[in-house]
C-alpha cells in the first residue's frame, strides 16, 4: 500500500476486518507482527525492527483525526492546535501563529478564543484537522472523521481534506464506512480476510 | 509551553475550589491541633515566667507544685532566705477548684453556670508569685478577701467570688496567667489560700474535736492542756505548696538548689528542670494524643487528595490517550497531575490557614499558631499531595495511546 504526498486514500472494510488495527500500526501506536513501513523514505518498521523514538515520530510526522474530535476541553481552540508545535519545542508565539494560520485556512479562525464545548460538531472536527496539521506532518491518519456529521458537513470535511492534502503536500489515509463519502476517494483500499485490496485507482485491477 | 495543569484548574475552578475548601477545613483542623499543643507549651512557659522565680523549692521526692501535690511548712522560707545566693523567697499555694461568682450583695451563689474552674494561687502581696501585669484595677493591698483574676475567668472588677467559705472582691484583672491545664488563675492572699486549701469546715472541726477527745491516748487523764494543744494544731495548718526563690544576679540557680536538697531535705528545681517537668511530663500524654490526631488527619487528607485526583484523572482518560498519541511525554502528563495535586494542596492550605486564624481565638484554651508550624504544615501538605498523586499518575501512565483510535 503506497500513498503519495497530496493524495487522499480511503480505507474501508467490514467491522472487525482490522481497519483500526492497521491505522494503529500506521500511526506507530502498536507494532505490526511483520512487514515493512516506510515514511518519507525513512524506514519505521522492518520485520521486528523499529525506530527507537515512536513518540517523537507520532508528534512530528503523523497527524491524527479521530471519529470524535477529542479536543482537550481545558484548552481553548488556539491552544488545542498550538499544543503540538509547542510539544515539538517551538516557541509559544510561533506555535500560536501556526495555529491561527490553520484555523483561518479551515474557516474557524473567528472561534480561535472559544472553548471546545462552545463549538458545533463540524467546527470541532475542523479544529481537530487543524491540530493534525499543526506540525506539518507528511501523513495524516483519519479514523472515521465524518461519522458524527450529517451528509453536508461530512462532504465538507472530505473537501477540506482533499484541499489540504494538496496545499500542505500531505498524504491522508481515511478509514471510513461512511457511504456518503466513499465515492469521493480517487483511491480506495478494502480490507478483507486480513489483506488490503485496492478497489479503486491505479492498482484496482489487483 | 502551556501549563496544562493550570489550564485544567482554571477550566474547572469551581470543582477545585470546592474540593480545596473541604480539604482546607481539614488542614485548618490540623493546624489548630498543632496550635493547641503550642498553646499548652506556651501556657506552661507563661506559668513559669510569670512567677519570676529561678528556683522552685518543694516537698522532698515530689515534682510539685504543678505536676504533683507538694506540702511544706510555711516557715521553711526563712531558712531558704538564709542560703547564700538567695535574693528573694516567698511562699505560694496552688489549688485548682471551682470558683463561683456570687451576687453583688453577697447574699448567695448565682446560677450554677457561673462556676469557673480556676487555679487559686495564694501569694504574699509584693513578693514573688504576684501577677506582674494588670489589665485593669489594682494589686491586692488588703490582707484578706481581695482577689486578682485572669480575664479568661470571665470576672470583672467588683465581682464577688466565693472560694470555699469566704467571699472575695475582684480588685484587679490580669492576663496570660493560666495553669498548665489552661485554667485561669485567681490570686488571693496567702493566708486566705492556706485556709481555703487546708482548713476544714466548722462541722468537720467539731467532729474532729469530738473524735480527738474520745481518743484516750490523746485525752489522757492527768495531762492538762494536751487535748487543747492537739485540737489547736488540728484547727490550724501552716503549710504551703512551694517556695519561689529568686537568686542573686550572677549566681547559678543550681548552686543554690544543691544545698537546699542536701541540707533542707527538700526538692529544688531550676527553671529548666521545671520546664522539663511541665512540657515533657505533664503535657506529654496530651502531646501524644495530639500527635495521633495529626497523623490521622494527615492520612485522611492524603486519602481525600488521592481520591479526588484519581477520579479527576479517570475522567480524563480519553484526553490523556489523545495527549499521548500526539506525542506528549509521560513526564509532561505526570507533571500535569502532580501540579494539580499540589494546586489543590495550596488552595487547601490557604483556606486552612485562614480558617485556623479565624477560629483559634474562639477556643476556650489558648491556641498558638506559629509561623514555623505553618511552614512545616505547608511542606507536609505538599508532600502528602505529591504522594497522593502517585496513584493517579500510575493510572495515567498506563493509558494506552491506542485507546484514542477506533474501538
Amino acid at each position: 500500500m503506497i500513498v503519495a504526498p497530496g493524495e487522499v486514500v480511503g480505507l474501508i472494510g467490514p467491522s472487525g476486518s482490522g481497519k483500526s488495527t492497521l491505522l494503529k500500526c500506521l500511526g506507530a501506536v502498536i507494532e505490526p507482527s511483520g512487514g515493512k513501513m516506510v515514511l518519507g523514505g525513512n524506514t519505521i518498521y522492518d520485520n521486528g525492527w523499529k525506530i527507537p523514538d515512536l513518540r517523537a515520530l507520532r508528534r512530528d510526522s503523523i497527524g491524527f483525526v479521530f471519529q470524535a474530535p477529542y479536543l482537550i476541553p481545558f484548552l481553548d481552540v488556539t491552544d488545542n492546535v498550538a499544543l503540538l508545535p509547542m510539544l515539538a519545542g517551538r516557541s509559544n508565539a510561533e506555535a500560536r501563529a501556526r495555529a491561527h494560520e490553520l484555523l483561518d485556512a479551515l474557516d474557524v479562525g473567528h472561534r480561535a478564543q472559544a472553548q471546545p464545548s462552545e463549538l458545533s460538531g463540524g467546527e470541532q472536527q475542523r479544529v481537530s484537522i487543524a491540530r493534525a496539521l499543526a506540525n506539518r506532518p507528511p501523513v495524516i491518519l483519519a479514523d472515521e472523521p465524518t461519522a458524527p456529521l450529517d451528509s453536508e458537513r461530512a462532504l465538507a470535511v472530505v473537501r477540506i481534506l482533499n484541499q489540504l492534502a494538496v496545499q500542505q503536500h500531505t498524504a491522508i489515509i481515511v478509514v471510513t464506512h461512511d457511504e456518503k463519502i466513499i465515492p469521493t476517494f480517487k483511491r480506495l483500499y478494502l480490507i478483507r480476510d486480513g489483506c488490503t485490496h485496492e478497489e479503486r485507482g491505479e492498482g484496482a485491477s489487483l | 509551553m502551556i501549563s496544562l495543569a493550570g489550564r485544567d484548574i482554571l477550566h474547572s475552578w469551581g470543582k477545585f475550589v470546592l474540593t480545596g475548601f473541604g480539604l482546607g477545613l481539614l488542614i485548618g483542623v490540623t493546624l489548630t491541633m498543632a496550635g493547641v499543643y503550642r498553646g499548652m507549651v506556651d501556657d506552661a512557659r507563661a506559668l513559669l515566667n510569670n512567677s519570676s522565680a529561678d528556683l522552685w523549692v518543694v516537698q522532698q521526692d515530689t515534682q510539685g507544685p504543678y505536676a504533683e501535690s507538694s506540702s511544706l511548712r510555711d516557715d521553711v522560707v526563712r531558712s531558704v532566705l538564709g542560703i547564700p545566693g538567695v535574693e528573694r523567697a516567698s511562699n505560694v499555694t496552688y489549688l485548682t477548684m471551682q470558683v463561683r461568682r456570687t451576687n453583688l450583695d453577697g447574699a448567695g451563689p448565682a446560677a450554677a453556670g457561673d462556676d469557673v474552674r480556676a487555679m487559686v494561687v495564694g501569694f504574699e502581696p509584693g513578693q514573688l508569685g504576684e501577677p506582674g501585669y494588670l489589665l485593669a484595677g489594682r494589686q491586692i493591698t488588703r490582707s484578706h478577701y481581695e482577689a486578682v483574676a485572669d480575664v479568661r475567668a470571665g470576672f470583672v472588677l467588683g465581682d464577688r467570688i466565693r472560694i470555699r467559705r469566704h467571699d472575695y472582691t475582684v480588685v484587679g484583672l490580669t492576663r496570660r496567667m493560666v495553669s498548665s491545664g489552661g485554667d485561669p488563675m485567681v490570686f488571693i492572699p496567702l493566708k486566705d489560700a492556706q485556709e481555703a486549701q487546708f482548713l476544714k469546715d466548722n462541722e468537720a472541726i467539731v467532729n474532729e474535736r469530738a473524735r480527738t477527745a474520745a481518743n484516750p491516748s490523746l485525752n489522757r487523764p492527768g495531762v492538762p492542756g494536751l487535748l487543747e494543744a492537739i485540737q489547736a494544731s488540728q484547727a490550724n495548718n501552716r503549710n504551703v505548696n512551694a517556695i519561689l526563690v529568686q537568686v542573686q544576679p550572677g549566681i547559678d540557680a543550681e548552686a543554690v538548689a544543691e544545698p537546699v536538697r542536701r541540707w533542707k531535705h527538700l526538692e529544688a528545681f531550676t527553671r529548666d528542670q521545671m520546664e522539663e517537668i511541665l512540657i515533657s511530663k505533664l503535657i506529654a500524654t496530651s502531646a501524644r494524643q495530639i500527635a495521633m490526631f495529626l497523623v490521622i488527619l494527615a492520612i485522611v487528607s492524603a486519602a481525600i487528595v488521592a481520591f479526588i485526583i484519581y477520579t479527576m484523572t479517570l475522567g480524563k482518560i480519553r484526553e490523556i490517550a489523545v495527549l499521548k498519541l500526539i506525542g506528549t511525554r509521560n513526564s509532561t502528563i505526570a507533571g500535569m497531575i502532580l501540579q494539580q495535586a499540589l494546586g489543590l494542596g495550596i488552595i487547601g492550605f490557604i483556606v486552612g490557614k485562614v480558617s485556623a486564624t479565624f477560629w483559634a481565638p474562639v477556643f476556650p484554651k489558648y491556641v498558638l499558631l506559629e509561623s514555623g508550624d505553618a511552614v512545616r504544615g505547608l511542606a507536609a501538605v505538599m508532600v502528602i499531595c505529591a504522594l497522593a498523586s502517585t496513584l493517579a499518575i500510575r493510572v495515567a501512565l498506563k493509558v494506552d495511546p491506542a485507546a484514542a483510535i477506533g474501538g
Side-chain angles (χ1 to χ4, degrees), chain B residues 312-324:
Chain B
M312 284 168 65
T313 303
L314 286 185
K316 289 197 290 266
I317 289 293
R318 183 67 93 164
E319 284 80 11
I320 290 170
V322 171
L323 284 170
K324 291 177 93 166

Side-chain angles (χ1 to χ4, degrees), chain A residues 49 53 101 117 122-123 134 198 206:
Chain A
W49 179 89
D53 195 352
E101 175 193 328
S117 58
E123 286 174 328
E198 188 164 356
L206 292 172

Side-chain angles (χ1 to χ4, degrees), chain B residues 126-149:
Chain B
Q127 294 295 314
L128 296 174
E130 185 177 55
Y133 171 73
L134 292 185
L135 283 176
R138 59 172 173 79
Q139 294 283 9
I140 292 171
T141 53
R142 291 167 62 181
S143 301
H144 294 287
Y145 312 131
E146 285 188 344
V148 171

Side-chain angles (χ1 to χ4, degrees), chain B residues 100-121:
Chain B
R100 285 174 295 166
R101 180 190 281 125
T102 60
N103 293 338
L104 287 177
D105 58 2
D114 278 344
D115 272 20
V116 175
R117 183 157 188 82
M119 177 182 260
V120 175
V121 182

Side-chain angles (χ1 to χ4, degrees), chain B residues 32-359:
Chain B
T32 307
M33 293 299 289
V36 168
Y37 170 73
R38 294 290 181 200
M40 287 164 68
V41 171
D42 201 63
D43 279 349
R45 291 203 173 113
L47 177 65
L48 301 181
N49 291 338
N50 292 334
S51 67
S52 308
D54 301 315
L55 210 59
W56 283 256
V57 177
V58 298
Q59 184 182 339
Q60 196 171 32
D61 299 327
T62 72
Q63 295 192 335
Y66 310 117
E68 292 178 12
S69 66
S70 154
S71 181
L72 60 163
R73 283 295 194 175
D74 62 1
D75 56 1
V76 175
V77 70
R78 292 194 200 112
S79 56
V80 171
L81 277 166
I83 294 173
V86 172
E87 175 87 12
R88 295 163 72 196
S90 63
N91 291 316
V92 284
T93 64
Y94 298 99
L95 174 64
T96 300
M97 59 180 292
Q98 295 297 121
V99 175
R100 285 174 295 166
R101 180 190 281 125
T102 60
N103 293 338
L104 287 177
D105 58 2
D114 278 344
D115 272 20
V116 175
R117 183 157 188 82
M119 177 182 260
V120 175
V121 182
F123 73 103
E124 295 169 282
Q127 294 295 314
L128 296 174
E130 185 177 55
Y133 171 73
L134 292 185
L135 283 176
R138 59 172 173 79
Q139 294 283 9
I140 292 171
T141 53
R142 291 167 62 181
S143 301
H144 294 287
Y145 312 131
E146 285 188 344
V148 171
D150 186 278
V151 285
R152 294 194 82 131
F155 302 135
V156 296
L157 289 180
D159 262 359
R160 298 278 287 169
I161 57 175
R162 173 156 294 178
I163 298 171
R164 292 276 194 262
R165 295 158 60 177
H166 299 295
D167 286 347
Y168 296 77
T169 304
V170 176
V171 296
L173 294 174
T174 183
R175 61 184 288 275
R176 291 292 291 126
M177 300 296 272
V178 293
S179 73
S180 58
D183 299 320
M185 285 181 167
V186 174
F187 295 83
I188 61 174
L190 181 68
K191 300 282 183 205
D192 292 348
Q194 284 176 302
E195 253 193 58
Q197 190 170 163
F198 300 111
L199 191 63
K200 298 183 179 78
D201 57 79
N202 288 341
E203 291 74 17
I205 291 171
V206 169
N207 285 340
E208 193 62 31
R209 281 178 183 164
R211 186 175 285 114
T212 307
N215 188 332
S217 62
L218 302 177
N219 189 11
R220 288 183 200 161
V223 188
L226 174 63
L227 179 65
E228 288 75 17
I230 290 170
Q231 285 176 338
S233 73
Q234 287 173 340
N236 289 302
N237 195 318
R238 313 305 303 172
N239 284 356
V240 293
N241 298 124
I243 298 169
L244 301 181
V245 178
Q246 201 171 57
V247 300
Q248 291 168 350
I251 300 291
D252 180 18
E254 185 56 38
V256 178
E258 203 276 329
V260 171
R261 294 188 196 113
R262 180 183 296 178
W263 301 116
K264 303 298 177 190
H265 307 296
L266 298 168
E267 188 59 79
F269 294 108
T270 62
R271 172 76 166 70
D272 292 343
Q273 290 165 340
M274 192 53 83
E275 188 170 320
E276 172 78 8
I277 289 170
L278 282 172
I279 294 169
S280 300
K281 296 179 179 172
L282 200 61
I283 61 175
T285 310
S286 302
R288 282 199 294 273
Q289 184 99 334
I290 289 168
M292 276 303 297
F293 267 112
L294 291 178
V295 169
I296 291 168
L297 287 169
I299 292 170
V300 171
S301 303
I304 288 175
V305 174
F307 177 73
I308 296 294
I309 295 295
Y310 181 72
T311 50
M312 284 168 65
T313 303
L314 286 185
K316 289 197 290 266
I317 289 293
R318 183 67 93 164
E319 284 80 11
I320 290 170
V322 171
L323 284 170
K324 291 177 93 166
L325 185 68
I326 63 178
T328 309
R329 290 175 191 276
N330 278 342
S331 58
T332 305
I333 293 169
M336 177 181 80
I337 295 169
L338 177 65
Q339 286 169 39
Q340 286 179 341
L342 296 180
L344 201 57
I346 288 171
I347 293 170
F349 180 80
I350 291 168
V351 171
K353 183 76 180 82
V354 170
S355 308
T357 304
F358 271 103
W359 68 43

Side-chain angles (χ1 to χ4, degrees), chain A residues 20 23-24 29 55 58-59 64 66 70 72-75 79 83-84 86-87 92 96 115 131 143, chain B residues 1-2 4 7-8 11 316 318-319 322-329 336 400-402 404-407:
Chain A
S20 293
L23 207 65
K24 286 171 188 174
V29 180
R55 183 188 55 77
R58 290 199 302 270
R59 183 191 65 206
F64 295 92
F66 310 106
Y70 296 142
I72 308 300
F74 48 83
L75 298 180
D79 286 341
L83 180 63
L84 262 90
M86 287 179 191
L87 289 172
N92 286 9
R96 289 205 168 97
Q115 294 297 313
R131 179 175 64 183
D143 181 22
Chain B
M1 181 64 194
I2 302 167
L4 294 174
R7 293 299 179 86
D8 194 15
H11 181 256
K316 289 197 290 266
R318 183 67 93 164
E319 284 80 11
V322 171
L323 284 170
K324 291 177 93 166
L325 185 68
I326 63 178
T328 309
R329 290 175 191 276
M336 177 181 80
D400 184 359
I405 300 175

